Amino acid sequence: MITKYEFEVLYLAYNNDFKNQRHAADTLGYSLGTINNTVADLVDKGLIDKNNAITINGEKALEPFAVENAVIMAAGMSSRFAPLSFEKPKGLLNVKGEILIERQIRQLQEKGINDITVVLGYMKEKFFYLEQKYGVNLVVNADYYRYNNTSTLMKVLKKLGNTYICSSDNYFAINVFNSHEYKAVYPVQKHSVSEDGEYYASFNKQKLITNVTIGKGEYCMVGHVYYDREFSKGFATLLTKEFEKLETKTKLWEKVYVEHLDQFTMYAREYSPLDILEFDSLAELQEFDNYYINNTDSKILHNIMDVLECEVQDIKDIVAIKDGLTNTSFKFTVRDKNYIYRHPGVGTDSYINRKAEAFAQRVAKEQELDDSFIFMDEEEGWKLSYFIDDAHTLDYHNDEEVTIALSRIKALHDLKLPGDFEFDIWAKTHDFIDAISERGRDDFQDFDDLLEKMTRVYKLTEADKFDKILCHCDFYDPNILFKNSKMYLIDWEYAGVDDPGVDIGTFIACSDYSMEEAFDILEKYEGRPMSKERLQHFIAYVAIASYYWFIWAIFQESNGALVGEYLYIWYRYSYKYADKALELYGE
């Protein structure tokens, strides 16, 4: 086995780039003495001749180090790169006249690396053409939206050997790939300022990585990475074992490597900040590629330009906001004013009526329940609003805020506004039951018992013959904002005509109130003690709302969105308030 020094000098000769010892020393970053000793050893072993040309034996010595293949990870959404990544995968951006992932594929193929596998997920169909155009292999990671890139590596474990692992959204200004590599290696760039979330490597004189810290350091790990066979074998074994844990599924593969650093040999290779680039925002892309300063293919940006009557260069300070299970949004600034753009989530049109939302949103603005609203496209589902700076969500235990919120929703209910669109919480509950049944998620022991109990409760409320009126239908703390004492009731996407109990039921179902506190809330809403008939009706709707959100949560988790503890809370409240309602009804 040749040494690292011998490999690097031999590889220079293999590429006909060994001009002389001084040139080799400057190119490789070693002392002239080290290069002279290495050359002498290579000549003695018959791997290069006295003219520094590689011999047949030298070529054979390089064979174990030949790169076998490459994996390009292209499954993720890259949500930080809003809004362009909302419309197409980041790897398909055209940067300085080239598609990012196509540039990578060509650079790999230039080095003789033709066995290339692209792992897809988000908008996967947009990448399919690569198979015909470049002869690459395509693999789909169906878990891309709920797990991290460890799940992508799990899809290609059998491909790992002497393998490059690449990210589709990197731009390599130079060809960073080699036909041969000595050992596992990760590119690094020297940073003057550390960035949160970035990985920083420490290494010895031989560039062997000895430690990695997150969020603090000098040499930032960037771009692609190379696994040699030894690294691939060990890491595949480790990842297979660790991936059984949910916490591993949500980690970057680099985090798993860092946690077991002492088990692996990996070197650092320094690059200029101009050699490997990753664009984390539209502003960074505009700085690199002037085309994006005055032009864009983004329909989202054109929507903003049309509504706000601005130019693309006026849209600044874009920041993605992960604020919901159903949509993606981003904040931005135009002419010193802050706005928020809501982009409808994939598949939400199957259970959200955007025409109903647009109608309700206009009513909310008229009634001064949400004067942050600017415009909504009821066909496509996108919405533009003012961003409410320095606002906070309702505190369920702030008596003043709760009183204001309940009085405002009661005022809306008292208007008894009609509408053209029904919400119908019970019908929607059954729609979700059908959906989770198809996926086998209704197979738990008391499913039928709970459904039977909730059906009894719902029939009792229908017999009360309450008017069906315009309701918010998602009335709980994240959608109730306060700035000073002014309240904003936002996110009307579930709004429609239904029983007013839907709003109050949801409000209580999403709280940590005790039963006694729930009774107090109903009195605050009513403005006086509730009659027995209204009390039993609204308590029943806490149960109905809890059950609806419980079934909805199962549906969301069947799609990979983690709802968390609310799923159990809504299950428990379904029983708790259903039993109380039946008691109040005298059943």
Side-chain angles (χ1 to χ4, degrees), residues 299-326:
K299 186 175 181 181
I300 290 175
L301 291 179
H302 279 287
N303 290 340
I304 294 171
M305 292 157 61
D306 290 343
V307 174
L308 299 183
E309 299 181 346
C310 65
E311 301 299 328
V312 66
Q313 61 265 32
D314 298 325
I315 304 171
K316 302 179 183 298
D317 305 323
I318 297 172
V319 179
I321 300 174
K322 294 183 178 179
D323 62 345
L325 289 167
T326 56

Side-chain angles (χ1 to χ4, degrees), residues 81-120:
F81 201 73
L84 302 189
S85 62
F86 292 0
E87 299 171 292
K88 70 168 67 173
K90 191 175 172 186
L92 292 177
L93 285 177
N94 189 312
V95 178
K96 293 201 170 181
E98 289 185 279
I99 304 298
L100 285 177
I101 193 170
E102 289 192 27
R103 180 180 174 87
Q104 279 190 36
I105 292 171
R106 284 194 291 268
Q107 288 174 326
L108 286 163
Q109 291 177 341
E110 285 171 6
K111 296 296 182 176
I113 304 165
N114 295 305
D115 183 355
I116 301 171
T117 299
V118 182
V119 185
L120 310 175

Side-chain angles (χ1 to χ4, degrees), residues 59-176:
E59 292 181 352
K60 289 181 178 179
L62 282 179
E63 287 177 0
F65 305 99
V67 179
E68 297 169 328
N69 56 20
V71 171
I72 301 179
M73 298 190 290
M77 180 181 174
S78 302
S79 58
R80 288 189 301 172
F81 201 73
L84 302 189
S85 62
F86 292 0
E87 299 171 292
K88 70 168 67 173
K90 191 175 172 186
L92 292 177
L93 285 177
N94 189 312
V95 178
K96 293 201 170 181
E98 289 185 279
I99 304 298
L100 285 177
I101 193 170
E102 289 192 27
R103 180 180 174 87
Q104 279 190 36
I105 292 171
R106 284 194 291 268
Q107 288 174 326
L108 286 163
Q109 291 177 341
E110 285 171 6
K111 296 296 182 176
I113 304 165
N114 295 305
D115 183 355
I116 301 171
T117 299
V118 182
V119 185
L120 310 175
Y122 175 63
M123 293 189 181
K124 53 187 175 292
E125 68 283 354
K126 293 183 182 290
F127 288 101
F128 289 169
Y129 77 97
L130 295 172
E131 184 176 51
Q132 295 297 321
K133 188 171 183 178
Y134 293 102
V136 299
N137 307 303
L138 303 180
V139 172
V140 174
N141 176 9
D143 293 322
Y144 76 92
Y145 56 88
R146 57 176 176 171
Y147 300 146
N148 218 316
N149 66 12
T150 47
S151 66
T152 285
L153 285 186
M154 287 297 293
K155 293 293 183 182
V156 292
L157 287 184
K158 292 182 180 179
K159 299 288 295 185
L160 301 182
N162 283 355
T163 306
Y164 279 119
I165 308 294
C166 311
S167 295
S168 65
D169 55 0
N170 285 132
Y171 182 90
F172 300 125
I174 62 172
N175 195 329
V176 296

Side-chain angles (χ1 to χ4, degrees), residues 27-43:
T27 301
L28 299 176
Y30 297 134
S31 69
L32 182 58
T34 297
I35 296 298
N36 288 336
N37 291 333
T38 301
V39 170
D41 290 340
L42 288 172
V43 171

Side-chain angles (χ1 to χ4, degrees), residues 532-550:
K532 177 182 179 300
E533 291 74 21
R534 286 177 63 80
L535 179 63
Q536 66 194 23
H537 184 89
F538 278 95
I539 287 294
Y541 258 94
V542 179
I544 292 167
S546 298
Y547 185 64
Y548 166 79
W549 292 111
F550 167 59

